[in-house]
């Protein structure tokens, strides 16, 4: 309907009124782009700005002006992606009260990077991180010119320089020449890096300890070349001590002297005493309660003391551990502990008391522990479930063992809460000094490995393996914790805890000298916190070469809860004499 007798303002009011009567009658612009890959289509739609008019009333004059404008914008939108010869054919059609804008775009041939010339002093190229970033930049040669990829690679070189001590580094020469006739581009870059800075003294502020105690966590001596990785390592080490609620590590650029940069560490003590406790359930232990008391520090030298009591259906234990940090850059500490254990699994009963003293330190990237254990107690093996200890066929024993133990542990992960790429390795060796001070002579070697890799978005592959060997002159004198069994949450799922192993003459599981276990698990997450898993576990404890792996398989539920990863698995044994039916496994804890 037209109103030629009304002034323009009146016509506008009538148009507004008639537009608002039906709620769905607002005229808008719908832009459709054809002829380009999806990412470039989205780039054109986003850069054109027409999405803002999708639900806005516009006049025909506005639509035609916007249509003409977007046609001229296309060439500029595509140039950052390497296309300098685009052509556009457009159509404008009214669709009811909306307008359909259709663009048929031919991007044309892309511009390729013919040469990348990047100039850096030899001293910087010798640093692995800088050399790697420079190699990634030069790898753009022969590829399509893309401003985003090029700028990211260029800036990565500058970031690597500043992260490795060239704090004054700047890009002096920055030239990209595009020959549109030949569709070739030449890149020329040169950095003026200046002097390389070095670490000065580290000043700790807010610490509750006497001077010098925290020096053991500094991974670099004064005069070492400045790197951000070393600062991050210092912050992580201090955070891992559990002494502090806040750790802030930063270079003190305002007080640098020449090329020497002091480091400031601002700290805030955490709560000194920690009380923990509450009910829990584990398929290996049954229902129970746990209570703990820990002192994050008990004096100005940073000594620690922790205690834990567990009262569960099949496990009762009381443990204490005292830790004395020692000076030095390798985070060395002496640890003294004691543990009383009353364990009642489906195959054994043990009442033991153990005292341990060891030294722990960082050693070539590993955590190394060397110490001595003294273990004494009584035990019964060969049980079946909750039957009496007096049943025929059970084996009873008592022993005292004094042995040395050494271990190496190492792990790498991209995220401690939910690992997408990570692994862990643990090696342990034990031995008595012959039969001196011990009821039997024995030596053991053990190895555990775990590997996690995420792929295709929300999927993870988890591989796990364990192996162990024992040499002894009296296997009957070894308590259950020094024998090897299979089965349970962290072993072969589908079987009860420690339900698999060599049998005695009465066909009862008594544990073995050796162990070999492997596991493969696939997880898929439907949301960032919920997922499911499928797994296959295989393995057994055995003597000599008589290895007969038992197989377990099943499905599981995964929940990344506020308290950590919760795993609920339902497993079944496959053609096994050790079990049948469904076994429930519940496991709470970190991935590595």
């Amino acid at each position: 309907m037209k109103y030629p007798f009304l002034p323009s303002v009146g016509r506008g009011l009538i148009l507004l009124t008639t537009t608002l009567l039906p709620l769905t009658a607002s005229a808008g612009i719908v832009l459709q782009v054809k002829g380009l890959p999806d990412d470039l289509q989205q780039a054109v739609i986003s850069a054109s700005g027409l999405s803002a008019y999708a639900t806005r009333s516009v006049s025909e004059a506005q639509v035609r002006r916007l249509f003409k404008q977007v046609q001229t914008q296309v060439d500029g939108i595509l140039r950052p992606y390497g296309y300098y010869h685009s052509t556009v054919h457009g159509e404008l059609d009214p669709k009811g009260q909306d307008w359909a804008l259709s663009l048929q775009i031919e991007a044309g041939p892309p511009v390729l990077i013919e040469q990348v010339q990047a100039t850096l002093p030899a001293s910087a190229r010798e640093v692995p991180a800088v050399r790697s970033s420079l190699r990634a930049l030069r790898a753009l040669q022969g590829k399509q010119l893309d401003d985003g990829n090029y700028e990211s690679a260029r800036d990565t070189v500058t970031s690597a320089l500043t992260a490795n001590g060239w704090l004054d580094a700047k890009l002096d020469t920055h030239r990209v020449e595009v020959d549109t006739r030949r569709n070739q581009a030449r890149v020329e870059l040169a950095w003026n890096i200046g002097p390389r800075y070095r670490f000065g003294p580290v000043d700790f502020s807010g610490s509750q300890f006497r001077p010098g105690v925290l020096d053991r966590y500094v991974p670099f001596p004064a005069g070492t070349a400045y790197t951000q990785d070393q600062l991050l390592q210092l912050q992580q080490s201090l955070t891992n001590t559990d002494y502090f609620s806040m750790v802030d590590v930063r270079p003190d650029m305002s007080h640098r002297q020449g090329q020497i940069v002091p480091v400031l560490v601002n700290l805030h003590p955490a709560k000194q005493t920690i009380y923990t406790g509450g009910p829990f359930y584990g398929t290996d232990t049954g229902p129970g309660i746990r209570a703990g008391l820990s002192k994050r520090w008990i004096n100005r030298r940073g000594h620690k003391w922790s205690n834990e009591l567990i009262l569960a259906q099949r496990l009762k234990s009381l443990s204490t551990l005292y830790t004395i940090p020692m000076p030095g850059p390798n985070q060395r500490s002496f640890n003294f502990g004691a543990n009383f254990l009353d364990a009642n699994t489906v195959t054994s009963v043990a009442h033991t008391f153990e005292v341990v003293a060891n030294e722990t330190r960082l050693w070539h990237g590993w955590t190394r522990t060397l110490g001595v254990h003294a273990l004494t107690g009584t035990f019964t093996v060969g049980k079946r479930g909750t039957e009496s200890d007096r049943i025929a066929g059970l084996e009873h024993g008592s022993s005292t063992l004094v042995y040395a133990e050494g271990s190496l542990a190492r792990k790498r992960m991209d995220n401690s809460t939910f690992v997408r790429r990570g692994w862990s390795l643990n090696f342990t060796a034990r031995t008595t000094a012959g039969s001196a001070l011990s009821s039997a002579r024995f030596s053991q070697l053990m190895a555990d490995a775990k590997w996690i890799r995420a792929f295709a978005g929300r999927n993870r592959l988890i591989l796990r393996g364990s192996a162990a060997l024992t040499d002894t002159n009296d296997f009957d004198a070894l308590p259950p914790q020094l024998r090897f069994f299979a089965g349970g949450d962290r072993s072969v799922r589908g079987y009860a805890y420690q339900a698999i192993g060599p049998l005695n003459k009465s066909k009862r599981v008594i544990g073995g000298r050796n162990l070999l276990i492997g596991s493969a698990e696939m997880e898929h997450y439907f949301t960032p916190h919920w997922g499911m898993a499928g797994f296959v576990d295989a393995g057994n404890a055995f003597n000599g070469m008589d290895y007969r792996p038992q197989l377990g398989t099943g499905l599981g539920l995964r929940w990344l809860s506020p308290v950590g990863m919760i795993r609920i698995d339902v497993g079944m044994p496959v053609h096994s004499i050790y079990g049948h039916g469904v076994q429930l496994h519940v496991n709470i804890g970190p991935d590595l």
Side-chain angles (χ1 to χ4, degrees):
M1 182 180 295
K2 296 183 179 181
Y3 304 90
F5 53 86
L6 290 177
S8 59
V9 174
R11 289 199 301 270
L13 290 174
I14 293 175
L15 177 61
L16 177 62
T17 303
T18 57
T19 300
L20 292 177
L21 286 177
L23 294 177
T24 61
S26 61
I29 298 175
V30 178
L31 175 63
Q32 184 178 24
V33 177
K34 302 177 182 179
L36 295 176
D38 291 344
D39 56 339
L40 291 182
Q41 288 184 20
Q42 188 57 47
V44 171
I45 293 172
S46 299
S48 69
L50 290 183
S51 57
Y53 293 88
T55 58
R56 291 171 55 180
S57 296
V58 290
S59 66
E60 181 177 348
Q62 285 178 297
V63 172
R64 295 191 180 279
R65 185 175 68 253
L66 291 170
F67 181 50
K68 185 176 181 181
Q69 178 180 309
V70 74
Q71 286 180 290
T72 60
Q73 288 177 335
V74 168
D75 189 61
I77 294 172
L78 295 181
R79 284 195 174 195
Y81 300 92
Y83 297 99
Y84 283 68
H85 303 285
S86 60
T87 58
V88 183
H89 301 283
E91 294 181 359
L92 178 62
D93 296 314
K95 299 292 185 181
Q97 291 195 354
D98 291 329
W99 293 89
L101 278 64
S102 178
L103 299 180
Q104 180 70 38
I105 302 174
E106 294 181 10
V111 172
L112 302 180
I113 299 177
E114 180 184 22
Q115 183 181 24
V116 177
Q117 181 178 341
T119 304
L120 269 179
S123 58
R125 296 198 305 269
E126 293 173 356
V127 176
V130 177
R131 186 167 59 246
S132 176
S133 64
L134 195 60
R135 186 163 52 245
L137 175 65
R138 288 170 174 162
L140 296 178
Q141 185 168 311
K143 296 182 179 179
Q144 182 174 329
L145 177 63
D146 183 296
D147 288 0
N149 294 338
Y150 157 69
E151 291 170 2
S152 176
R154 178 199 66 198
D155 294 344
T156 298
V157 176
T158 303
S159 298
L161 288 168
T162 56
N164 286 275
W166 286 280
L167 303 181
D168 299 327
K170 60 181 180 179
L171 192 59
D172 273 357
T173 302
H174 171 208
R175 185 179 297 112
V176 179
E177 297 178 351
V178 178
D179 185 343
T180 57
R181 183 179 55 83
R182 297 174 54 240
N183 290 318
Q184 298 285 342
R186 293 169 55 88
V187 176
E188 183 181 355
L189 301 169
W191 282 265
N192 180 4
I193 64 173
R196 190 176 190 184
Y197 286 77
R198 299 186 175 275
F199 285 119
V202 179
D203 178 42
F204 296 96
S205 173
S207 167
Q208 64 270 43
F209 305 118
R210 66 185 186 183
V213 170
L214 298 180
D215 291 345
R216 67 195 300 266
Y217 300 106
V218 180
F220 49 83
T224 302
Y226 176 100
T227 65
Q228 287 184 359
D229 285 346
Q230 296 276 46
L231 292 180
L232 291 174
Q233 185 179 340
L234 172 58
Q235 178 154 353
Q236 189 62 53
S237 296
L238 291 170
T239 301
N240 290 342
T241 64
D242 203 33
Y243 289 140
F244 310 105
S245 61
M246 186 274 290
V247 178
D248 179 30
V249 179
R250 64 179 186 272
D252 186 8
M253 301 302 294
S254 62
H255 290 89
R256 65 184 181 184
Q257 297 181 353
Q259 281 75 54
I260 302 300
V261 181
V263 177
L264 286 179
V265 181
N266 293 316
L267 305 165
H268 191 279
K271 186 178 180 180
Q272 183 176 9
T273 304
I274 309 170
Y275 299 95
T276 58
F280 72 93
Y281 176 80
T283 49
D284 296 343
T285 62
I289 60 172
R290 176 184 286 110
L293 184 152
S294 298
K295 290 282 189 179
R296 285 189 168 105
W297 73 93
I298 63 173
N299 54 35
R300 295 192 67 214
R301 295 185 298 275
H303 293 193
K304 292 173 171 283
W305 186 36
S306 61
N307 305 272
E308 185 178 54
L309 172 67
I310 295 176
L311 298 174
Q313 180 182 5
R314 292 188 291 275
L315 174 67
K316 299 172 181 63
S317 70
L318 176 62
S319 59
T320 184
L321 179 66
Y322 192 89
T323 299
I324 303 175
M326 301 301 292
N330 52 11
Q331 299 185 26
R332 187 166 63 108
S333 64
F334 288 110
N335 312 284
F336 305 92
N339 179 57
F340 170 75
L341 179 69
D342 181 356
N344 187 348
T345 73
V346 296
T347 55
S348 66
V349 176
H351 308 282
T352 59
F353 178 72
E354 183 178 21
V355 176
V356 59
N358 60 42
E359 181 229 44
T360 301
R361 67 170 66 189
L362 296 180
W363 182 75
H364 298 289
W366 297 76
T367 298
R368 189 191 75 181
T369 303
L370 300 174
V372 177
H373 293 246
L375 176 67
T376 186
T378 61
F379 54 89
T380 300
V381 292
K383 284 190 61 178
R384 292 172 182 164
T386 59
E387 65 184 6
S388 170
D389 292 353
R390 300 178 181 178
I391 298 294
L394 301 184
E395 297 185 10
H396 306 278
S398 64
S399 63
T400 297
L401 300 167
V402 178
Y403 59 92
E405 181 177 283
S407 67
L408 291 173
R410 190 171 187 174
K411 60 184 176 181
R412 290 287 183 273
M413 67 189 81
D414 57 354
N415 187 302
S416 59
T417 303
F418 183 82
V419 179
R420 295 185 60 83
R421 297 174 66 93
W423 53 267
S424 66
L425 289 172
N426 293 274
F427 301 98
T428 303
R430 300 169 178 156
T431 187
T432 58
S435 298
L437 304 176
S438 299
S439 304
R441 171 190 60 77
F442 81 95
S443 298
Q444 289 182 332
L445 294 174
M446 292 162 283
D448 293 283
K450 193 172 184 179
W451 182 85
I452 301 175
R453 185 60 54 88
F455 66 97
R458 293 178 174 177
N459 302 293
R460 291 200 306 176
L461 175 63
I462 302 175
L463 303 178
R464 171 173 54 85
S466 298
L469 296 171
T470 301
D471 176 60
T472 180
N473 64 342
D474 187 0
F475 181 76
D476 294 338
L478 300 184
Q481 56 262 57
L482 294 177
R483 303 184 184 195
F484 295 110
F485 300 82
D489 303 344
R490 303 173 187 271
S491 180
V492 181
R493 287 164 289 187
Y495 302 83
Y497 177 60
Q498 293 191 349
I500 311 174
L503 308 174
N504 64 6
K505 295 179 180 179
S506 300
K507 303 299 181 182
R508 294 175 176 271
V509 178
I510 60 171
R513 297 169 182 252
N514 310 318
L515 180 73
L516 188 59
I517 292 173
S519 170
E521 179 175 315
M522 188 77 73
E523 294 180 344
H524 173 73
Y525 286 82
F526 305 103
T527 74
H529 295 90
W530 288 94
M532 66 175 295
F535 61 86
V536 176
D537 301 340
N540 206 342
F542 59 101
N543 295 318
M545 301 299 293
D546 186 23
Y547 178 58
R548 301 176 185 179
Q550 304 300 303
L551 188 66
T553 185
L555 299 173
L557 180 68
R558 300 293 180 264
W559 177 34
L560 186 57
S561 75
V563 298
M565 180 66 75
I566 297 179
R567 307 169 187 84
I568 302 174
D569 292 321
V570 177
M572 296 182 61
V574 179
H575 304 302
S576 176
I577 64 172
Y578 293 97
H580 62 277
V582 174
Q583 187 78 29
L584 176 67
H585 302 277
V586 179
N587 191 1
I588 303 175
D591 288 319
L592 295 175

